[in-house]
Amino acid sequence: MSARRTPNLDLKAIGARIRALRGTELQEELAPKIGISQGQLSKIESGRMPPALETLVKLANRFEKSIDWLVTGHETH
């Protein structure tokens, strides 16, 4: 049986992309719209916590970006 490997994710880069998308909107405003607390959003943006898949889906829909872009910074076609 082979062990599953998880990709090395750059959590700080993911957080920076989310922070850039948020722009001037406050964490306190965005967090409830995507179903998480302000504290969780803060941890995600600072790279201290990975975003859950559900959170990535909500962010992708809200900002009209792909999950690929949120995670890697690259669009896939």
Side-chain angles (χ1 to χ4, degrees), residues 9-58:
L9 298 177
D10 185 344
L11 296 180
K12 288 193 181 290
I14 293 169
R17 283 188 284 278
I18 293 168
R19 169 67 186 93
L21 289 173
R22 182 168 58 82
T24 60
E25 185 175 17
L26 299 175
Q27 288 180 344
E28 292 85 354
E29 296 169 337
L30 176 60
K33 294 175 185 174
I34 58 171
I36 62 175
S37 70
Q38 180 275 326
Q40 288 173 300
L41 182 55
S42 175
K43 288 177 184 177
I44 291 167
E45 287 187 359
S46 66
R48 293 179 290 148
M49 179 178 139
L53 179 57
E54 181 179 352
T55 301
L56 286 171
V57 169
K58 289 178 180 179

